[in-house]
PDB file of all heavy atoms in Angstrom:
ATOM      1  N   ASN A 151      -4.132 -30.815  33.994  1.00  0.00           N
ATOM      2  CA  ASN A 151      -5.360 -31.044  34.787  1.00  0.00           C
ATOM      3  C   ASN A 151      -5.301 -32.285  35.605  1.00  0.00           C
ATOM      4  O   ASN A 151      -6.233 -33.048  35.810  1.00  0.00           O
ATOM      5  CB  ASN A 151      -6.611 -31.116  33.889  1.00  0.00           C
ATOM      6  CG  ASN A 151      -6.829 -29.860  33.074  1.00  0.00           C
ATOM      7  OD1 ASN A 151      -6.601 -28.784  33.621  1.00  0.00           O
ATOM      8  ND2 ASN A 151      -7.210 -30.004  31.827  1.00  0.00           N
ATOM      9  N   LYS A 168     -13.871 -49.290  48.514  1.00  0.00           N
ATOM     10  CA  LYS A 168     -14.091 -49.253  49.986  1.00  0.00           C
ATOM     11  C   LYS A 168     -13.660 -50.546  50.571  1.00  0.00           C
ATOM     12  O   LYS A 168     -13.583 -51.557  49.928  1.00  0.00           O
ATOM     13  CB  LYS A 168     -15.558 -48.944  50.254  1.00  0.00           C
ATOM     14  CG  LYS A 168     -16.043 -47.543  49.812  1.00  0.00           C
ATOM     15  CD  LYS A 168     -17.465 -47.269  50.263  1.00  0.00           C
ATOM     16  CE  LYS A 168     -17.900 -45.900  49.832  1.00  0.00           C
ATOM     17  NZ  LYS A 168     -19.295 -45.609  50.223  1.00  0.00           N
ATOM     18  N   ILE A 172     -13.490 -54.365  49.094  1.00  0.00           N
ATOM     19  CA  ILE A 172     -12.266 -55.144  48.954  1.00  0.00           C
ATOM     20  C   ILE A 172     -12.339 -56.474  49.665  1.00  0.00           C
ATOM     21  O   ILE A 172     -11.920 -57.537  49.149  1.00  0.00           O
ATOM     22  CB  ILE A 172     -11.060 -54.320  49.580  1.00  0.00           C
ATOM     23  CG1 ILE A 172     -10.784 -53.095  48.707  1.00  0.00           C
ATOM     24  CG2 ILE A 172      -9.799 -55.197  49.713  1.00  0.00           C
ATOM     25  CD1 ILE A 172      -9.697 -52.181  49.215  1.00  0.00           C
ATOM     26  N   THR A 179     -12.338 -63.980  45.331  1.00  0.00           N
ATOM     27  CA  THR A 179     -11.080 -64.374  44.641  1.00  0.00           C
ATOM     28  C   THR A 179     -10.517 -65.673  45.203  1.00  0.00           C
ATOM     29  O   THR A 179     -10.056 -66.529  44.466  1.00  0.00           O
ATOM     30  CB  THR A 179     -10.049 -63.243  44.778  1.00  0.00           C
ATOM     31  OG1 THR A 179     -10.548 -62.038  44.217  1.00  0.00           O
ATOM     32  CG2 THR A 179      -8.720 -63.586  44.095  1.00  0.00           C
ATOM     33  N   GLY A 182     -11.867 -68.659  43.706  1.00  0.00           N
ATOM     34  CA  GLY A 182     -11.593 -68.878  42.327  1.00  0.00           C
ATOM     35  C   GLY A 182     -12.353 -67.998  41.378  1.00  0.00           C
ATOM     36  O   GLY A 182     -12.353 -68.255  40.160  1.00  0.00           O
ATOM     37  N   ALA A 185     -13.172 -62.859  37.788  1.00  0.00           N
ATOM     38  CA  ALA A 185     -13.725 -61.533  37.621  1.00  0.00           C
ATOM     39  C   ALA A 185     -13.507 -60.680  38.889  1.00  0.00           C
ATOM     40  O   ALA A 185     -13.177 -59.460  38.780  1.00  0.00           O
ATOM     41  CB  ALA A 185     -15.213 -61.564  37.284  1.00  0.00           C
ATOM     42  N   ILE A 191      -7.694 -55.960  41.181  1.00  0.00           N
ATOM     43  CA  ILE A 191      -6.489 -55.364  40.537  1.00  0.00           C
ATOM     44  C   ILE A 191      -6.829 -53.913  40.087  1.00  0.00           C
ATOM     45  O   ILE A 191      -6.131 -52.946  40.354  1.00  0.00           O
ATOM     46  CB  ILE A 191      -6.004 -56.208  39.373  1.00  0.00           C
ATOM     47  CG1 ILE A 191      -5.520 -57.576  39.869  1.00  0.00           C
ATOM     48  CG2 ILE A 191      -4.887 -55.455  38.643  1.00  0.00           C
ATOM     49  CD1 ILE A 191      -5.182 -58.538  38.787  1.00  0.00           C
ATOM     50  N   LEU A 197      -3.361 -47.400  44.422  1.00  0.00           N
ATOM     51  CA  LEU A 197      -2.438 -47.776  45.477  1.00  0.00           C
ATOM     52  C   LEU A 197      -1.098 -47.995  44.866  1.00  0.00           C
ATOM     53  O   LEU A 197      -0.079 -47.524  45.394  1.00  0.00           O
ATOM     54  CB  LEU A 197      -2.944 -49.041  46.170  1.00  0.00           C
ATOM     55  CG  LEU A 197      -2.038 -49.592  47.320  1.00  0.00           C
ATOM     56  CD1 LEU A 197      -1.942 -48.599  48.433  1.00  0.00           C
ATOM     57  CD2 LEU A 197      -2.572 -50.897  47.786  1.00  0.00           C
ATOM     58  N   THR A 206      10.392 -42.831  41.949  1.00  0.00           N
ATOM     59  CA  THR A 206      10.745 -42.011  40.721  1.00  0.00           C
ATOM     60  C   THR A 206      12.075 -41.322  40.900  1.00  0.00           C
ATOM     61  O   THR A 206      12.594 -41.183  41.973  1.00  0.00           O
ATOM     62  CB  THR A 206       9.590 -40.996  40.533  1.00  0.00           C
ATOM     63  OG1 THR A 206       9.491 -40.153  41.698  1.00  0.00           O
ATOM     64  CG2 THR A 206       8.283 -41.654  40.199  1.00  0.00           C
ATOM     65  N   LEU A 215       7.945 -48.990  36.102  1.00  0.00           N
ATOM     66  CA  LEU A 215       7.704 -49.089  37.484  1.00  0.00           C
ATOM     67  C   LEU A 215       6.267 -49.454  37.819  1.00  0.00           C
ATOM     68  O   LEU A 215       5.960 -50.258  38.694  1.00  0.00           O
ATOM     69  CB  LEU A 215       8.035 -47.764  38.190  1.00  0.00           C
ATOM     70  CG  LEU A 215       9.500 -47.326  38.158  1.00  0.00           C
ATOM     71  CD1 LEU A 215       9.642 -45.903  38.773  1.00  0.00           C
ATOM     72  CD2 LEU A 215      10.351 -48.316  38.945  1.00  0.00           C
ATOM     73  N   ASN A 257      18.196 -54.295  37.709  1.00  0.00           N
ATOM     74  CA  ASN A 257      18.387 -53.464  36.560  1.00  0.00           C
ATOM     75  C   ASN A 257      19.350 -52.297  36.810  1.00  0.00           C
ATOM     76  O   ASN A 257      19.484 -51.438  36.006  1.00  0.00           O
ATOM     77  CB  ASN A 257      17.074 -52.925  36.078  1.00  0.00           C
ATOM     78  CG  ASN A 257      16.198 -53.956  35.399  1.00  0.00           C
ATOM     79  OD1 ASN A 257      16.290 -54.289  34.280  1.00  0.00           O
ATOM     80  ND2 ASN A 257      15.336 -54.597  36.194  1.00  0.00           N
ATOM     81  N   GLU A 287      53.040 -50.006  48.207  1.00  0.00           N
ATOM     82  CA  GLU A 287      51.914 -49.364  47.571  1.00  0.00           C
ATOM     83  C   GLU A 287      52.097 -47.831  47.468  1.00  0.00           C
ATOM     84  O   GLU A 287      52.375 -47.182  48.469  1.00  0.00           O
ATOM     85  CB  GLU A 287      50.558 -49.605  48.376  1.00  0.00           C
ATOM     86  CG  GLU A 287      49.318 -48.978  47.748  1.00  0.00           C
ATOM     87  CD  GLU A 287      48.718 -49.919  46.705  1.00  0.00           C
ATOM     88  OE1 GLU A 287      49.119 -51.081  46.587  1.00  0.00           O
ATOM     89  OE2 GLU A 287      47.798 -49.467  46.009  1.00  0.00           O
ATOM     90  N   PRO A 320      22.023 -58.242  48.351  1.00  0.00           N
ATOM     91  CA  PRO A 320      21.572 -59.168  49.419  1.00  0.00           C
ATOM     92  C   PRO A 320      22.729 -59.405  50.377  1.00  0.00           C
ATOM     93  O   PRO A 320      23.885 -59.521  49.969  1.00  0.00           O
ATOM     94  CB  PRO A 320      21.341 -60.458  48.669  1.00  0.00           C
ATOM     95  CG  PRO A 320      21.131 -60.074  47.206  1.00  0.00           C
ATOM     96  CD  PRO A 320      22.055 -58.891  46.983  1.00  0.00           C
ATOM     97  N   LYS A 364     -12.937 -30.293  50.613  1.00  0.00           N
ATOM     98  CA  LYS A 364     -12.669 -28.893  50.555  1.00  0.00           C
ATOM     99  C   LYS A 364     -12.649 -28.282  51.923  1.00  0.00           C
ATOM    100  O   LYS A 364     -11.808 -27.394  52.274  1.00  0.00           O
ATOM    101  CB  LYS A 364     -13.769 -28.233  49.709  1.00  0.00           C
ATOM    102  CG  LYS A 364     -13.522 -26.721  49.442  1.00  0.00           C
ATOM    103  CD  LYS A 364     -14.489 -26.168  48.441  1.00  0.00           C
ATOM    104  CE  LYS A 364     -14.220 -24.732  48.118  1.00  0.00           C
ATOM    105  NZ  LYS A 364     -15.125 -24.153  47.092  1.00  0.00           N
ATOM    106  N   ILE A 365     -13.590 -28.687  52.788  1.00  0.00           N
ATOM    107  CA  ILE A 365     -13.562 -28.143  54.157  1.00  0.00           C
ATOM    108  C   ILE A 365     -12.303 -28.466  54.935  1.00  0.00           C
ATOM    109  O   ILE A 365     -11.715 -27.607  55.556  1.00  0.00           O
ATOM    110  CB  ILE A 365     -14.836 -28.717  54.940  1.00  0.00           C
ATOM    111  CG1 ILE A 365     -16.087 -28.097  54.381  1.00  0.00           C
ATOM    112  CG2 ILE A 365     -14.736 -28.373  56.438  1.00  0.00           C
ATOM    113  CD1 ILE A 365     -17.407 -28.673  54.953  1.00  0.00           C
ATOM    114  N   PHE A 370      -7.335 -27.187  57.526  1.00  0.00           N
ATOM    115  CA  PHE A 370      -6.066 -27.687  58.024  1.00  0.00           C
ATOM    116  C   PHE A 370      -4.885 -27.382  57.155  1.00  0.00           C
ATOM    117  O   PHE A 370      -3.746 -27.450  57.570  1.00  0.00           O
ATOM    118  CB  PHE A 370      -6.163 -29.201  58.273  1.00  0.00           C
ATOM    119  CG  PHE A 370      -7.191 -29.559  59.278  1.00  0.00           C
ATOM    120  CD1 PHE A 370      -8.404 -30.088  58.911  1.00  0.00           C
ATOM    121  CD2 PHE A 370      -6.959 -29.264  60.646  1.00  0.00           C
ATOM    122  CE1 PHE A 370      -9.358 -30.422  59.874  1.00  0.00           C
ATOM    123  CE2 PHE A 370      -7.952 -29.603  61.616  1.00  0.00           C
ATOM    124  CZ  PHE A 370      -9.151 -30.173  61.223  1.00  0.00           C
ATOM    125  N   ASN A 377     -15.805 -20.135  60.590  1.00  0.00           N
ATOM    126  CA  ASN A 377     -16.579 -19.042  60.083  1.00  0.00           C
ATOM    127  C   ASN A 377     -16.144 -18.593  58.711  1.00  0.00           C
ATOM    128  O   ASN A 377     -16.954 -18.369  57.844  1.00  0.00           O
ATOM    129  CB  ASN A 377     -16.489 -17.890  61.024  1.00  0.00           C
ATOM    130  CG  ASN A 377     -17.460 -16.792  60.759  1.00  0.00           C
ATOM    131  OD1 ASN A 377     -18.616 -16.986  60.471  1.00  0.00           O
ATOM    132  ND2 ASN A 377     -16.975 -15.531  60.769  1.00  0.00           N
TER     133      ASN A 377
END
Side-chain angles (χ1 to χ4, degrees):
N151 299 323
K168 294 184 177 180
I172 290 177
T179 299
I191 295 171
L197 179 65
T206 57
L215 294 176
N257 289 274
E287 183 83 12
K364 186 172 183 179
I365 289 174
F370 299 106
N377 189 44

